[in-house]
């Protein structure tokens, strides 16, 4: 839900709200379950804190959201937790368990785990708990889960994706510590609003089309608007991240949502950010987004090399990157540029082309990552072939490097290039002066910039 990334190693990304836990909580609360929710990593809490909560709350079931990069520490965490209370049922949820190969169960020590959820938890969690407490025979009918039968793991694959997204209740923010999730550009609480699911793109490094489907499934505009309004009125949250694989993919849908905001009491009250592709924006959509409160757009620019963009099947080119950034700047909307390096074919020239574009576009924020071949992606097949052994990628993320490098560059060269480029970009006097003279700069935002600056220096 919060992407397969290591936020500690990122330079300028911030922590998103734990919507997966919030959705599960809202759904189970409707069925009269008693819920205890805590985001331990966000609160900087550890095993001891969790054990104390388990002793006090005495749960029947513990539901844990995991990532590929954290899976081994997650399993170790559960092992210690179960030693304190042997009778609790453990459910792990994560993209790692989406239609897994049987080999996964030989590579992970899952003896303390009872159920795995790889499908969309909002359509699954209540069915799983119904099976646990009332009718175990129903387990065979639940798509997107793995469960044990005679000590053998059974895999129920996802064969279709639910499209009735409006039927899902809003995340239970009354149990979430919303103040933990901050918009670094404003230093205000930021809620994540999931607007759609699915992506028709074919980028070789991404598994989103696999785990969310290639067909985009939208929530209704009114349903999204109602959730925004609830956040404002009930929780006093006015900053938002509109989460989707590409928010601007459907121009009409975006403009209609913007018009609904513009013609409501939310106009000039909310501030939001969204992600986009450079080939899905134009003057019409940007004008409406800016008028409706959009303050930042995140772009997957990826590379300054047309050769790399073509081979990674991004579906865009360098000229489109330049045009999109220049167009967004006309509307005084900030830009977060994401770049990727480390593909098998890349040479020093590819990296330098990306660096050159990065400085030419001069976006407000950047992140430079090493491409991670997650299992299920075309990049994984390219590097590891058709092997069904996933050991190479388990416990890895963009900063626990999987590859030794490219066909032409070592891992150390990639690492040094990333660090040096980020330092050069963020420590430019021109860049720093621009931030310090921003008319929207406040004391709190200034302190936030200092915090992220220290983090950047530490990580580079």
């Amino acid at each position: 839900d919060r992407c397969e990334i290591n936020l500690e190693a990122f330079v300028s990304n911030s922590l998103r709200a734990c919507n997966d836990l919030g959705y599960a909580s809202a759904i189970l609360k409707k069925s009269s379950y008693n819920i205890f929710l805590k985001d331990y990593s966000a609160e900087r809490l550890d095993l001891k804190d969790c054990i104390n909560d388990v002793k006090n709350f005495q749960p029947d079931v513990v539901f844990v959201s995991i990532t590929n990069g954290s899976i081994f520490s997650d399993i170790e965490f559960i092992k210690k937790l179960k030693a304190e209370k042997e009778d609790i049922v453990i459910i792990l949820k994560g993209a790692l368990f989406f239609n897994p190969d049987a080999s996964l169960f030989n590579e992970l020590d899952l003896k303390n785990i009872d159920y795995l959820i790889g499908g969309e938890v909002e359509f699954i969690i209540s069915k799983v708990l119904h099976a646990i407490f009332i009718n175990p025979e129903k387990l065979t009918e639940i798509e997107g889960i793995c469960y044990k039968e005679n000590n053998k793991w059974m895999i129920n694959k996802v064969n279709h994706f639910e499209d009735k997204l409006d039927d899902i209740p809003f995340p239970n923010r009354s149990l979430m510590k919303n103040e933990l999730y901050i918009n670094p550009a404003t230093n205000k609480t930021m809620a994540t609003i999931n607007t759609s699911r699915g992506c028709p793109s074919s980028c070789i490094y991404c598994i989103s089309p696999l785990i969310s489907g290639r067909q985009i499934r939208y929530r209704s505009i009114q349903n999204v608007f109602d959730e925004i309004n609830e956040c404002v009125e009930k929780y006093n949250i006015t900053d938002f991240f509109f989460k989707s694989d590409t928010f601007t993919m459907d121009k009409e849908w975006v403009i209609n949502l913007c018009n609904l905001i513009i013609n409501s009491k939310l106009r000039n009250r909310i501030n939001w950010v969204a992600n986009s592709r450079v080939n899905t924006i134009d003057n019409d959509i940007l004008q409406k987004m800016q008028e409706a409160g959009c303050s930042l757009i995140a772009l997957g620019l990826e590379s300054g090399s047309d050769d790399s963009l073509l081979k990674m099947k991004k579906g865009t080119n360098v000229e489109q990157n330049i045009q999109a950034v220049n167009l967004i700047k006309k509307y005084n909307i900030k830009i977060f540029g994401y770049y990727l390096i480390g593909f098998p074919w890349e040479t020093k020239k590819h990296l330098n082309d990306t660096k050159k574009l990065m400085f030419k576009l001069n976006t407000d924020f950047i992140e430079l990552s090493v491409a991670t071949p997650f299992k299920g992606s075309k990049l994984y097949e390219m590097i590891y072939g058709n092997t069904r052994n996933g050991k190479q990628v388990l416990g890895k993320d963009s900063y626990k490097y999987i590859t030794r490098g490219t066909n032409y560059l070592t891992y150390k060269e990639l690492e040094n290039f990333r660090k040096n480029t980020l330092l050069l970009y963020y420590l430019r006097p021109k860049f720093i002066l621009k931030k310090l003279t921003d008319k929207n700069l406040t004391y709190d935002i200034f302190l936030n910039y200092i915090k992220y600056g220290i983090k950047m220096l530490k990580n580079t």
Side-chain angles (χ1 to χ4, degrees):
D1 184 71
R2 296 194 284 205
C3 296
E4 300 282 337
I5 57 175
N6 182 342
L7 282 170
E8 290 299 318
F10 259 65
V11 169
S12 51
N13 270 39
S14 60
L15 184 67
R16 297 177 192 164
C18 55
N19 275 19
D20 50 355
L21 302 183
Y23 276 125
S25 171
I27 290 161
L28 296 177
K29 194 171 182 180
K30 286 181 67 175
S31 299
S32 300
Y33 286 96
N34 191 15
I35 307 295
F36 179 94
L37 185 156
K38 186 169 284 189
D39 190 347
Y40 288 90
S41 56
E43 291 193 51
R44 305 287 183 175
L45 301 175
D46 58 21
L47 177 68
K48 184 172 67 174
D49 299 296
C50 187
I51 288 173
N52 287 335
D53 288 333
V54 166
K55 287 178 179 177
N56 293 328
F57 187 71
Q58 290 296 306
D60 299 296
V61 177
V62 171
F63 172 87
V64 185
S65 179
I66 66 98
T67 68
N68 186 88
S70 65
I71 183 59
F72 291 114
S73 55
D74 293 330
I75 289 173
E76 188 63 24
F77 180 89
I78 292 301
K79 178 182 177 182
K80 294 174 180 176
L81 189 63
K82 201 140 186 176
E84 296 290 329
K85 193 176 189 299
E86 293 183 8
D87 61 339
I88 50 175
V89 174
I90 302 293
I91 303 174
L92 300 189
K93 174 260 177 185
L96 178 61
F97 308 124
F98 182 89
N99 292 358
D101 294 330
S103 61
L104 179 71
F105 305 105
N106 298 322
E107 296 158 8
L108 296 175
D109 179 10
L110 299 171
K111 63 176 177 290
N112 291 304
I113 315 302
D114 300 288
Y115 301 92
L116 306 172
I117 295 179
E120 295 174 315
V121 67
E122 301 88 345
F123 299 103
I124 294 174
I125 188 64
S126 61
K127 295 177 183 178
V128 171
L129 264 66
H130 178 84
I132 291 172
F133 292 117
I134 299 172
N135 189 354
E137 293 181 1
K138 290 288 185 181
L139 285 171
T140 60
E141 303 173 9
I142 307 173
E143 289 187 13
I145 70 165
C146 302
Y147 63 95
K148 291 175 182 174
E149 189 175 275
N150 299 321
N151 288 323
K152 181 183 177 182
W153 281 100
M154 312 301 293
I155 303 170
N156 293 355
K157 296 205 169 185
V158 175
N159 296 310
H160 77 288
F161 294 97
E162 299 281 354
D163 58 6
K164 295 181 179 179
L165 301 187
D166 283 7
D167 291 347
I168 304 172
F170 304 150
N172 187 355
R173 294 185 171 91
S174 66
L175 292 183
M176 295 161 59
K177 280 197 173 182
N178 300 296
E179 65 274 14
L180 293 171
Y181 314 107
I182 300 298
N183 180 350
T186 64
N187 210 38
K188 293 181 179 179
T189 299
M190 182 169 69
T192 297
I193 306 284
N194 297 58
T195 61
S196 67
R197 303 180 186 194
C199 181
S201 302
S202 302
C203 308
I204 66 171
Y205 51 84
C206 184
I207 60 172
S208 186
L210 175 71
I211 64 175
S212 297
R214 290 196 170 276
Q215 181 177 347
I216 302 179
R217 296 166 288 146
Y218 289 95
R219 293 169 61 185
S220 71
I221 293 164
Q222 187 63 50
N223 188 247
V224 172
F225 177 86
D226 289 344
E227 184 176 352
I228 299 168
N229 197 57
E230 180 190 82
C231 288
V232 173
E233 300 298 334
K234 189 174 180 179
Y235 301 105
N236 196 32
I237 299 173
T238 56
D239 279 36
F240 299 94
F241 168 54
F242 290 167
K243 179 175 180 279
S244 61
D245 289 296
T246 302
F247 179 73
T248 54
M249 193 68 82
D250 187 325
K251 178 178 176 179
E252 183 181 1
W253 188 95
V254 173
I255 288 178
N256 286 338
L257 174 63
C258 289
N259 282 333
L260 190 56
I261 294 170
I262 292 165
N263 295 318
S264 76
K265 60 184 179 181
L266 293 180
R267 182 173 186 170
N268 298 325
R269 291 184 67 191
I270 66 171
N271 170 72
W272 52 275
V273 304
N275 53 16
S276 179
R277 288 175 62 89
V278 296
N279 57 349
T280 63
I281 55 176
D282 58 23
N283 281 296
D284 293 338
I285 202 169
L286 288 173
Q287 181 182 343
K288 287 295 182 181
M289 288 172 67
Q290 192 272 339
E291 195 176 350
C294 178
S295 60
L296 181 144
I297 295 175
L299 294 173
L301 301 168
E302 318 308 3
S303 179
S305 163
D306 279 327
D307 179 53
S308 270
L309 289 170
L310 181 65
K311 288 177 179 175
M312 70 175 76
K313 297 187 177 179
K314 180 67 181 179
T316 59
N317 57 49
V318 174
E319 184 57 32
Q320 287 174 313
N321 284 345
I322 296 170
Q323 291 175 355
V325 168
N326 289 337
L327 189 60
I328 295 170
K329 286 181 177 180
K330 283 174 52 181
Y331 291 89
N332 293 319
I333 297 174
K334 287 184 167 59
I335 304 168
F336 199 131
Y338 286 92
Y339 297 88
L340 280 174
I341 57 171
F343 291 95
W345 61 81
E346 288 198 315
T347 65
K348 194 66 178 287
K349 184 181 184 308
H350 290 96
L351 270 59
N352 285 331
D353 286 344
T354 296
K355 180 179 178 180
K356 182 179 177 181
L357 179 69
M358 193 182 295
F359 283 81
K360 178 178 179 177
L361 296 182
N362 193 30
T363 59
D364 299 274
F365 308 97
I366 63 161
E367 187 58 68
L368 179 61
S369 307
V370 176
T372 304
F374 291 114
K375 196 167 185 182
S377 68
K378 295 296 182 183
L379 183 59
Y380 179 92
E381 293 180 14
M382 184 181 295
I383 294 175
Y384 298 118
N386 294 319
T387 174
R388 299 176 71 85
N389 184 347
K391 284 183 179 178
Q392 299 100 323
V393 296
L394 290 173
K396 307 293 185 181
D397 58 40
S398 298
Y399 301 99
K400 298 173 184 174
Y401 296 110
I402 297 167
T403 176
R404 292 176 181 169
T406 74
N407 295 335
Y408 308 96
L409 300 167
T410 66
Y411 148 72
K412 197 67 180 175
E413 286 176 303
L414 291 175
E415 182 183 44
N416 288 338
F417 177 86
R418 175 183 178 268
K419 290 181 177 181
N420 292 334
T421 302
L422 287 170
L423 277 171
L424 284 171
Y425 192 91
Y426 279 112
L427 294 184
R428 288 174 296 157
K430 182 179 177 181
F431 180 88
I432 296 171
L433 182 63
K434 181 182 177 182
K435 293 300 176 193
L436 293 178
T437 55
D438 189 329
K439 65 179 181 179
N440 296 314
L441 183 68
T442 65
Y443 180 69
D444 285 343
I445 296 174
F446 173 73
L447 291 181
N448 229 29
Y449 285 157
I450 295 295
K451 180 181 74 173
Y452 278 91
I454 293 172
K455 180 182 177 183
M456 187 270 294
L457 290 171
K458 176 185 174 184
N459 289 337
T460 55

Coordinates of all heavy atoms in Angstrom, one line a residue, residues 306-350:
D306 N 16.6 8.5 -24.5 CA 15.5 7.9 -25.3 C 15.7 6.4 -25.4 O 14.7 5.6 -25.5 CB 15.4 8.5 -26.6 CG 14.6 9.8 -26.6 OD1 13.7 10.0 -25.8 OD2 15.0 10.8 -27.4
D307 N 17.0 6.0 -25.5 CA 17.3 4.5 -25.6 C 16.8 3.8 -24.4 O 16.1 2.7 -24.5 CB 18.8 4.3 -25.7 CG 19.2 2.9 -25.8 OD1 18.6 2.2 -26.7 OD2 20.0 2.4 -25.0
S308 N 17.0 4.3 -23.2 CA 16.5 3.7 -21.9 C 15.0 3.7 -21.8 O 14.4 2.7 -21.5 CB 17.1 4.4 -20.7 OG 18.4 3.8 -20.3
L309 N 14.4 4.9 -22.2 CA 13.0 5.0 -22.1 C 12.3 4.0 -23.0 O 11.3 3.4 -22.7 CB 12.5 6.4 -22.4 CG 12.9 7.5 -21.4 CD1 12.6 8.9 -22.0 CD2 12.1 7.2 -20.1
L310 N 12.9 3.8 -24.2 CA 12.3 2.8 -25.1 C 12.5 1.4 -24.6 O 11.5 0.6 -24.6 CB 13.0 2.9 -26.5 CG 12.6 2.0 -27.6 CD1 11.1 2.3 -28.0 CD2 13.5 2.1 -28.8
K311 N 13.6 1.0 -24.1 CA 13.9 -0.3 -23.6 C 13.1 -0.7 -22.3 O 12.8 -1.8 -22.1 CB 15.4 -0.6 -23.4 CG 16.1 -0.6 -24.8 CD 17.6 -0.8 -24.5 CE 18.4 -0.9 -25.9 NZ 19.8 -0.9 -25.7
M312 N 12.9 0.3 -21.5 CA 12.1 0.1 -20.3 C 10.6 0.1 -20.6 O 9.8 -0.1 -19.7 CB 12.5 1.0 -19.2 CG 12.0 2.5 -19.4 SD 12.3 3.5 -18.0 CE 14.1 3.8 -18.1
K313 N 10.2 0.4 -21.8 CA 8.8 0.4 -22.3 C 8.0 1.4 -21.5 O 6.9 1.2 -21.1 CB 8.2 -1.0 -22.2 CG 8.9 -2.0 -23.1 CD 8.1 -3.3 -23.2 CE 8.8 -4.3 -24.2 NZ 8.1 -5.6 -24.2
K314 N 8.6 2.6 -21.3 CA 7.9 3.6 -20.6 C 6.8 4.2 -21.4 O 5.8 4.8 -20.8 CB 8.9 4.7 -20.2 CG 8.3 5.9 -19.4 CD 7.9 5.5 -18.0 CE 7.3 6.7 -17.3 NZ 6.7 6.3 -16.0
G315 N 6.9 4.2 -22.7 CA 5.9 4.8 -23.6 C 6.0 6.3 -23.7 O 5.0 6.9 -24.2
T316 N 7.1 6.9 -23.3 CA 7.3 8.3 -23.4 C 8.7 8.5 -23.9 O 9.5 7.6 -24.0 CB 7.2 9.0 -22.0 OG1 8.1 8.5 -21.1 CG2 5.7 8.8 -21.5
N317 N 9.0 9.8 -24.2 CA 10.4 10.1 -24.7 C 10.9 11.4 -23.9 O 10.2 12.0 -23.2 CB 10.5 10.3 -26.2 CG 9.5 11.3 -26.7 OD1 9.5 12.5 -26.2 ND2 8.7 11.0 -27.7
V318 N 12.2 11.7 -24.2 CA 12.8 12.8 -23.5 C 12.1 14.1 -23.8 O 11.9 15.0 -22.9 CB 14.3 12.9 -23.8 CG1 14.9 14.1 -23.2 CG2 15.0 11.6 -23.3
E319 N 11.8 14.3 -25.0 CA 11.1 15.6 -25.4 C 9.8 15.8 -24.7 O 9.4 16.9 -24.3 CB 10.9 15.6 -27.0 CG 10.3 16.9 -27.5 CD 11.1 18.1 -27.1 OE1 12.4 18.0 -27.1 OE2 10.5 19.2 -26.9
Q320 N 9.0 14.7 -24.5 CA 7.8 14.8 -23.8 C 8.0 15.1 -22.3 O 7.3 15.8 -21.7 CB 7.0 13.4 -23.9 CG 6.4 13.2 -25.2 CD 5.8 11.8 -25.4 OE1 6.4 10.8 -25.0 NE2 4.6 11.8 -25.9
N321 N 9.1 14.6 -21.8 CA 9.5 14.9 -20.4 C 9.7 16.4 -20.3 O 9.2 17.1 -19.4 CB 10.8 14.2 -20.0 CG 10.6 12.8 -19.6 OD1 9.5 12.3 -19.4 ND2 11.7 12.0 -19.6
I322 N 10.4 17.0 -21.2 CA 10.8 18.4 -21.2 C 9.5 19.3 -21.4 O 9.2 20.2 -20.6 CB 11.8 18.8 -22.3 CG1 13.1 18.1 -22.1 CG2 12.0 20.3 -22.4 CD1 14.1 18.1 -23.2
Q323 N 8.7 18.9 -22.3 CA 7.4 19.6 -22.6 C 6.5 19.6 -21.4 O 5.9 20.6 -21.0 CB 6.7 19.1 -23.8 CG 7.4 19.3 -25.1 CD 6.8 18.7 -26.3 OE1 5.8 17.9 -26.2 NE2 7.3 18.9 -27.5
A324 N 6.4 18.5 -20.8 CA 5.4 18.3 -19.6 C 5.9 19.2 -18.4 O 5.1 19.9 -17.8 CB 5.3 16.9 -19.2
V325 N 7.2 19.1 -18.1 CA 7.7 19.9 -17.0 C 7.5 21.4 -17.3 O 7.1 22.2 -16.4 CB 9.2 19.6 -16.8 CG1 9.8 20.6 -15.8 CG2 9.3 18.2 -16.2
N326 N 7.8 21.9 -18.5 CA 7.7 23.3 -18.8 C 6.2 23.7 -18.8 O 5.9 24.8 -18.3 CB 8.3 23.6 -20.2 CG 9.8 23.5 -20.2 OD1 10.4 23.6 -19.2 ND2 10.3 23.2 -21.4
L327 N 5.3 22.8 -19.2 CA 3.9 23.1 -19.1 C 3.4 23.3 -17.7 O 2.6 24.2 -17.4 CB 3.1 22.1 -19.9 CG 1.6 22.3 -20.1 CD1 1.4 23.6 -21.0 CD2 1.0 21.1 -20.8
I328 N 3.8 22.4 -16.8 CA 3.3 22.4 -15.4 C 3.9 23.7 -14.7 O 3.2 24.3 -14.0 CB 3.8 21.1 -14.7 CG1 3.1 19.9 -15.2 CG2 3.5 21.3 -13.2 CD1 3.7 18.6 -14.7
K329 N 5.1 24.1 -15.1 CA 5.7 25.3 -14.4 C 4.9 26.5 -14.8 O 4.8 27.5 -14.0 CB 7.1 25.4 -14.9 CG 8.1 24.5 -14.3 CD 9.5 24.7 -14.7 CE 10.5 23.8 -14.0 NZ 11.9 24.0 -14.5
K330 N 4.2 26.5 -15.9 CA 3.4 27.7 -16.3 C 2.2 27.9 -15.3 O 1.7 29.0 -15.2 CB 2.8 27.5 -17.7 CG 3.7 27.7 -18.8 CD 3.1 27.3 -20.2 CE 1.7 28.0 -20.4 NZ 1.1 27.6 -21.7
Y331 N 1.8 26.8 -14.6 CA 0.7 26.9 -13.7 C 1.1 27.0 -12.3 O 0.3 26.9 -11.3 CB -0.3 25.7 -13.9 CG -1.0 25.8 -15.3 CD1 -0.4 25.2 -16.4 CD2 -2.2 26.5 -15.4 CE1 -1.0 25.3 -17.6 CE2 -2.8 26.5 -16.6 CZ -2.2 26.0 -17.7 OH -2.8 26.1 -19.0
N332 N 2.4 27.3 -12.1 CA 3.0 27.4 -10.7 C 2.7 26.2 -9.8 O 2.4 26.3 -8.6 CB 2.5 28.7 -10.0 CG 3.0 29.9 -10.7 OD1 4.2 30.0 -11.1 ND2 2.1 30.9 -10.9
I333 N 2.6 25.0 -10.4 CA 2.5 23.8 -9.7 C 3.9 23.2 -9.5 O 4.6 23.1 -10.5 CB 1.5 22.8 -10.4 CG1 0.1 23.4 -10.6 CG2 1.5 21.5 -9.7 CD1 -0.8 22.5 -11.4
K334 N 4.2 22.8 -8.3 CA 5.5 22.2 -8.0 C 5.6 20.8 -8.7 O 4.6 20.2 -8.9 CB 5.8 22.1 -6.5 CG 6.1 23.5 -5.9 CD 6.4 23.3 -4.4 CE 7.0 24.6 -3.8 NZ 6.1 25.7 -3.9
I335 N 6.8 20.4 -8.9 CA 7.1 19.1 -9.6 C 8.0 18.3 -8.8 O 9.1 18.8 -8.4 CB 7.6 19.4 -11.0 CG1 6.7 20.3 -11.8 CG2 7.8 18.1 -11.7 CD1 7.3 20.8 -13.1
F336 N 7.7 17.0 -8.6 CA 8.6 16.0 -8.0 C 9.0 15.1 -9.1 O 8.1 14.4 -9.7 CB 7.8 15.3 -6.9 CG 8.8 14.5 -6.0 CD1 8.6 14.7 -4.6 CD2 9.8 13.7 -6.4 CE1 9.5 14.0 -3.7 CE2 10.7 13.1 -5.5 CZ 10.5 13.2 -4.2
G337 N 10.3 15.1 -9.5 CA 10.7 14.2 -10.6 C 11.4 13.0 -10.1 O 12.3 13.0 -9.3
Y338 N 10.9 11.8 -10.6 CA 11.5 10.5 -10.2 C 12.3 10.0 -11.4 O 11.9 10.0 -12.5 CB 10.3 9.5 -9.9 CG 9.7 9.8 -8.6 CD1 8.5 10.6 -8.5 CD2 10.2 9.2 -7.4 CE1 7.9 10.8 -7.3 CE2 9.6 9.4 -6.2 CZ 8.4 10.2 -6.1 OH 7.8 10.4 -4.9
Y339 N 13.5 9.5 -11.0 CA 14.4 9.0 -12.0 C 14.9 7.6 -11.6 O 15.0 7.3 -10.4 CB 15.6 9.9 -12.2 CG 15.3 11.3 -12.7 CD1 14.9 12.3 -11.8 CD2 15.3 11.6 -14.0 CE1 14.6 13.6 -12.3 CE2 15.0 12.8 -14.5 CZ 14.6 13.8 -13.6 OH 14.3 15.1 -14.1
L340 N 15.2 6.8 -12.6 CA 15.7 5.4 -12.4 C 17.0 5.2 -13.2 O 17.1 5.6 -14.3 CB 14.6 4.4 -12.8 CG 13.4 4.1 -11.9 CD1 12.4 3.2 -12.7 CD2 13.9 3.4 -10.6
I341 N 17.9 4.5 -12.5 CA 19.1 4.1 -13.2 C 19.4 2.6 -12.9 O 18.7 2.0 -12.0 CB 20.3 4.9 -12.7 CG1 20.5 4.8 -11.2 CG2 20.2 6.3 -13.2 CD1 21.8 5.4 -10.7
G342 N 20.3 2.0 -13.5 CA 20.8 0.7 -13.2 C 20.2 -0.5 -14.0 O 20.2 -1.6 -13.6
F343 N 19.6 -0.1 -15.2 CA 19.0 -1.2 -16.0 C 20.2 -1.9 -16.7 O 21.3 -1.4 -16.9 CB 18.1 -0.6 -17.1 CG 16.8 0.0 -16.5 CD1 16.7 1.3 -16.2 CD2 15.7 -0.8 -16.3 CE1 15.6 1.8 -15.6 CE2 14.6 -0.3 -15.7 CZ 14.5 1.0 -15.4
P344 N 20.0 -3.2 -17.0 CA 21.1 -4.0 -17.5 C 21.9 -3.4 -18.7 O 23.1 -3.6 -18.8 CB 20.4 -5.3 -18.0 CG 19.2 -5.4 -17.1 CD 18.7 -4.0 -16.9
W345 N 21.2 -2.7 -19.6 CA 21.9 -2.2 -20.8 C 22.6 -0.8 -20.5 O 23.3 -0.3 -21.4 CB 20.8 -1.9 -21.9 CG 19.8 -1.0 -21.5 CD1 19.8 0.4 -21.5 CD2 18.5 -1.3 -20.9 NE1 18.7 1.0 -21.0 CE2 17.8 0.0 -20.7 CE3 17.8 -2.5 -20.6 CZ2 16.5 0.0 -20.1 CZ3 16.5 -2.4 -20.1 CH2 15.9 -1.2 -19.9
E346 N 22.4 -0.3 -19.4 CA 22.9 1.1 -19.2 C 24.4 1.2 -19.0 O 25.1 0.5 -18.3 CB 22.2 1.8 -18.0 CG 20.7 2.1 -18.3 CD 20.1 3.1 -17.4 OE1 20.3 3.0 -16.1 OE2 19.4 4.0 -17.8
T347 N 25.0 2.3 -19.7 CA 26.4 2.6 -19.6 C 26.5 3.9 -18.9 O 25.5 4.5 -18.5 CB 27.0 2.8 -21.0 OG1 26.3 3.9 -21.7 CG2 26.8 1.5 -21.8
K348 N 27.7 4.4 -18.7 CA 27.9 5.7 -18.1 C 27.2 6.8 -18.9 O 26.7 7.8 -18.3 CB 29.4 6.0 -18.0 CG 29.8 7.2 -17.1 CD 29.4 6.8 -15.6 CE 29.8 7.9 -14.7 NZ 31.3 8.0 -14.5
K349 N 27.1 6.7 -20.2 CA 26.5 7.7 -21.0 C 25.0 7.8 -20.7 O 24.4 8.9 -20.6 CB 26.6 7.4 -22.5 CG 26.0 8.5 -23.4 CD 26.1 8.1 -24.9 CE 25.6 9.3 -25.8 NZ 24.3 9.8 -25.4
H350 N 24.3 6.6 -20.5 CA 22.9 6.7 -20.1 C 22.7 7.4 -18.8 O 21.8 8.2 -18.7 CB 22.4 5.2 -19.9 CG 22.2 4.5 -21.2 ND1 23.2 3.6 -21.6 CD2 21.3 4.4 -22.1 CE1 22.8 3.0 -22.8 NE2 21.7 3.5 -23.1

